[in-house]
Amino acid sequence: MVRLKIGEAVASSERPLIAAPITASTWQQVLQEADILSHSAIDVVEWRIDYLTRLNELTVDHIRQVRQTVMKPVIFTWRTLAEGGNKQYHADMYERIYLNALAAGVVALDIEIDLLKDQKALLKQVPTNVQIIGSKHYFDRTPHNLVQALNNMLMLPTDIVKLAVMPQSTSDVDYLLVSTKQVANDAAKPLITMAMGEMGMPSRILGYQFGSQLTFATVTGSSAPGQVTVSALLQKWGSNHDVQ
């Protein structure tokens, strides 16, 4: 299994990476959340820029300031309306802001796989030391061909595969975990998978045992249904998994 590495943070067989989101809508709130996360027991910060009210004004200096404040690797994410986010996709603005993020030194970009063809120019400018997370979210269902879906995603021009589904039953959660394990063992890229909502919560806690190498938890705010708090996550794992 290829181990997930985001910046200096590396997942292990004993514990996945823990990411927590910044979901603030104003610049002042972003800095406040960044400061809180800098002192928390997490490995990685995901900045959900689609929560920003004035997203079009986001500059290289803004992004650099957040990166320097959190003092942890940053995943830079514009989640579109089509996949449960808060901002409509605008190709030119998307490319410009993601290029600003690269100039500011972020270590990972989350790009929905449906946008990869439209963002070929952006992809050509991503340096080799920046990880591209190719993501797909099913907010209303769990597809019945998850192994095929994951294998198809592995063929795309990304470094990490991320798949999130909405379970309709506990068997959907089990299906996600088993499918992840089946693909992760031989995958040439790291996988991040999760079932959302309260029903899917076990996948966020136990997913690493099946090959999902990062889990999202909350410190200041939630960015998806079913996320647990970092403290609850560590308590579930036990003291041997505490983050220093």
Side-chain angles (χ1 to χ4, degrees):
M1 182 183 297
V2 178
R3 285 293 161 201
L4 174 63
K5 184 176 187 293
I6 298 180
E8 296 303 315
V10 183
S12 72
S13 58
E14 285 76 36
R15 188 179 72 77
L17 297 182
I18 303 174
I22 293 174
T23 57
S25 60
T26 69
W27 174 241
Q28 210 55 40
Q29 292 169 341
V30 166
L31 292 180
Q32 291 171 359
E33 288 190 17
D35 181 63
I36 292 170
L37 292 179
S38 72
H39 298 96
S40 69
I42 64 171
D43 305 296
V44 178
V45 172
E46 182 187 40
W47 185 8
R48 282 286 303 277
I49 62 166
D50 53 289
Y51 278 85
L52 284 170
T53 302
R54 301 166 72 173
L55 177 56
N56 64 313
E57 299 179 6
L58 194 61
T59 67
V60 173
D61 287 340
H62 286 137
I63 302 167
R64 185 179 292 116
Q65 188 173 351
V66 170
R67 186 179 62 80
Q68 293 171 345
T69 300
V70 297
M71 297 184 293
K72 299 175 187 287
V74 174
I75 301 172
F76 195 79
T77 303
W78 175 336
R79 184 70 60 236
T80 67
L81 283 177
E83 295 204 7
N86 296 283
K87 287 287 187 297
Q88 185 67 48
Y89 172 66
H90 299 284
D92 292 342
M93 191 166 100
Y94 187 99
E95 179 182 354
R96 173 175 60 81
I97 291 177
Y98 268 55
L99 288 175
N100 284 349
L102 293 175
V106 302
V107 296
L109 303 177
D110 183 303
I111 302 178
E112 294 163 15
I113 62 171
D114 292 343
L115 304 181
L116 290 172
K117 287 184 179 179
D118 199 43
Q119 289 294 333
K120 287 182 179 179
L122 168 64
L123 294 176
K124 290 178 181 179
Q125 299 182 68
V126 178
T128 56
N129 64 333
V130 174
Q131 300 288 292
I132 300 174
I133 302 172
S135 63
K136 182 64 180 177
H137 300 76
Y138 294 90
F139 268 86
D140 59 350
R141 62 190 174 95
T142 298
H144 296 298
N145 57 343
L146 289 183
V147 169
Q148 180 182 339
L150 287 168
N151 281 323
N152 289 344
M153 292 175 73
L154 285 167
M155 301 298 292
L156 297 172
T158 65
D159 303 296
I160 301 163
V161 167
K162 177 188 172 187
L163 177 66
V165 302
M166 183 64 75
Q168 304 300 314
S169 65
T170 56
S171 62
D172 282 344
V173 182
D174 294 338
Y175 176 52
L176 172 76
L177 293 172
V178 171
S179 298
T180 300
K181 185 174 184 178
Q182 183 174 338
V183 176
N185 287 335
D186 299 317
K189 300 175 184 179
L191 303 184
I192 301 170
T193 66
M194 68 214 71
M196 295 178 285
E198 184 176 353
M199 188 180 296
M201 203 173 293
S203 70
R204 298 182 183 274
I205 299 169
L206 302 174
Y208 75 98
Q209 298 177 8
F210 295 82
S212 179
Q213 299 192 57
L214 182 146
T215 189
F216 290 87
T218 65
V219 175
T220 59
S222 171
S223 61
Q227 288 179 354
V228 299
T229 65
V230 172
S231 59
L233 187 64
L234 294 176
Q235 186 176 21
K236 290 284 188 181
W237 286 345
S239 59
N240 290 337
H241 295 91
D242 286 352
V243 183
Q244 300 300 321

